[in-house]
Amino acid sequence: MIAILSTIRQRGLIWFGAARAIIGIFLAAALAWCTATPVTAEDLYRVQTVVTGQGEANRMTGFTSCMEDVLIKVSGAERLAGDRRLTAYKARAKDFVTAFDYRDQFSGKPKRDEQGTRDRPFDLTVDFDKEKIDGVLKALGLKPWLSHRPVLAVFVEMEQGERKFIVTSDGTQSDLQRDALLAAAARRGMNIVLPTAAALAKANINGTELSKTPSSTLVSLAAGQGGEVALVGRLVWNDRDLGWATQWQIDRPGRPHRWRLRGVTFDEAFRRGIGGAAQVLSDNGEAGSRR
C-alpha cells in the first residue's frame, strides 16, 4: 500500500511539474506578445486613474484627471499638462465619457470602514468619445497621433548617494522603477522595452555615466531588445529639493533633443521623460516645453 501511495504521489508531482512548465511557457508567450502589441486607437481613448471609493464626487474628480490625460495620450503633446485652456473642458469632462469601470485594488481584503468603500482605492478606467476628443484637439490646434508610434528602448540610471544602478527588465533592485516606467508608458500611449542585466553586461555598460555611452551602442542594444528609438535618462537624488534632478535625451536623425527637470518624484520624472519623447516623436515641439 505504501509503495502504491508513493507511486501515485510521484506521478502527481510529475504531472504538477509538467503543468507548471506548460503554464510558464504560455505565460511567457503571453507576456512577449503583449510587449510586441502596438497601441491601438481604442487604447488611446481609454485612460485610467486611481480614486478613493465609488461615489459620484470622486468619480467626477477622476473624470477631470482623465480628461487631461486622454488629450495628451491621443495627441502625444505632453505640453498640454497643466494647460489653462483645458479648464473649461475638465469642468464638463463627464460629457466626453462613453463608459467607465472600477477595479478594487483591495479586492479580497477586509473592509476597513463602516461603508467598506470610502477609504478603498479603486482603479477607474474611463473610455472617451473619439469624435469629441478629436474635436477638442482640433480646437486646441492639435490632432490625433494615429501613425506608427516607435517602441522606446528606455535606459535609465539612478543615483542616490552611494547607490547607483540601471533600471532593467529583470533586476530586483529596480522593481519599483520598472513598474513606474511601465505605468508612465501606458499613461502616455507608448510601448517601451527595458534592457536586461545580461545585455548591459555584454555591452560593458554599468551603472555610472550611461549618458556618456556612445549613441551607436545604445541604438544597437535597443534594436536587440525590440526597441526602435533609444531614450536615455539620468536621475540623481537631491536632498535639498527632496526630489530627483533629471536629464533626458533622445536622438532623431540629425537632431539630438535634451531636457531637464528637478525636484520631482521618479514617477513624475518618468512621465515627463516618456511624455517628452512622445512630444518629439509626434512633432508637437521640443521635449520639456510647456505652453
Side-chain angles (χ1 to χ4, degrees):
M1 177 63 71
I2 294 176
I4 293 174
L5 290 176
S6 177
T7 299
I8 292 174
R9 182 174 181 273
Q10 290 176 357
R11 289 177 178 174
L13 289 173
I14 291 172
W15 178 89
F16 180 69
R20 286 184 62 184
I22 292 171
I23 291 172
I25 291 172
F26 276 108
L27 283 176
L31 288 173
W33 182 83
C34 288
T35 301
T37 302
V39 177
T40 66
E42 183 178 271
D43 294 330
L44 293 179
Y45 294 87
R46 175 178 296 137
V47 294
Q48 187 180 90
T49 191
V50 177
V51 295
T52 304
Q54 301 184 56
E56 183 177 3
N58 285 336
R59 184 162 60 251
M60 292 304 105
T61 299
F63 286 172
T64 298
S65 173
C66 288
M67 185 67 186
E68 178 174 290
D69 278 344
V70 74
L71 291 170
I72 296 174
K73 187 177 183 181
V74 172
S75 65
E78 174 72 16
R79 59 190 170 87
L80 284 178
D83 193 322
R84 294 181 180 179
R85 295 177 298 167
L86 304 188
T87 302
Y89 299 112
K90 290 180 179 179
R92 54 188 185 89
K94 66 178 182 180
D95 296 339
F96 299 86
V97 174
T98 59
F100 63 89
D101 191 22
Y102 290 99
R103 186 186 72 83
D104 187 352
Q105 290 188 354
F106 288 173
S107 178
K109 296 182 179 181
K111 296 178 179 180
R112 297 185 299 181
D113 62 80
E114 68 278 7
Q115 293 180 340
T117 59
R118 190 181 65 235
D119 68 346
R120 294 173 76 88
F122 288 82
D123 292 327
L124 173 63
T125 301
V126 184
D127 289 319
F128 285 89
D129 185 283
K130 181 182 183 301
E131 292 185 2
K132 290 182 178 180
I133 292 300
D134 290 354
V136 173
L137 290 176
K138 184 176 181 180
L140 296 171
L142 298 168
K143 59 183 180 180
W145 181 25
L146 301 179
S147 59
H148 173 67
R149 296 189 175 203
V151 176
L152 291 175
V154 183
F155 300 89
V156 177
E157 59 178 311
M158 310 284 296
E159 179 178 335
Q160 188 172 21
E162 296 299 318
R163 187 168 180 252
K164 301 177 182 179
F165 62 92
I166 294 176
V167 181
T168 65
S169 62
D170 53 359
T172 57
Q173 67 175 333
S174 57
D175 285 346
L176 293 176
Q177 290 80 13
R178 178 170 59 250
D179 291 345
L181 278 168
L182 291 172
R187 187 169 176 176
R188 293 302 182 239
M190 300 296 292
N191 276 332
I192 67 170
V193 292
L194 299 173
T196 64
L200 291 175
K202 186 176 181 179
N204 294 318
I205 298 175
N206 56 35
T208 60
E209 300 300 329
L210 179 62
S211 59
K212 293 184 179 180
T213 302
S215 178
S216 58
T217 300
L218 293 179
V219 169
S220 176
L221 186 55
Q225 297 294 121
E228 299 172 73
V229 180
L231 171 66
V232 182
R234 174 174 167 80
L235 278 69
V236 179
W237 177 258
N238 188 305
D239 287 328
R240 181 181 300 176
D241 294 337
L242 293 179
W244 297 90
T246 308
Q247 304 174 38
W248 292 99
Q249 62 186 64
I250 185 173
D251 294 330
R252 300 188 74 182
R255 187 176 182 185
H257 298 265
R258 308 286 186 270
W259 65 104
R260 299 170 180 260
L261 60 150
R262 58 184 300 167
V264 297
T265 64
F266 63 71
D267 297 86
E268 176 64 15
F270 294 159
R271 281 194 294 270
R272 297 276 290 276
I274 293 176
Q279 183 158 294
V280 168
L281 295 170
S282 62
D283 294 322
N284 274 302
E286 284 293 325
S289 64
R290 296 295 180 98
R291 184 177 174 82

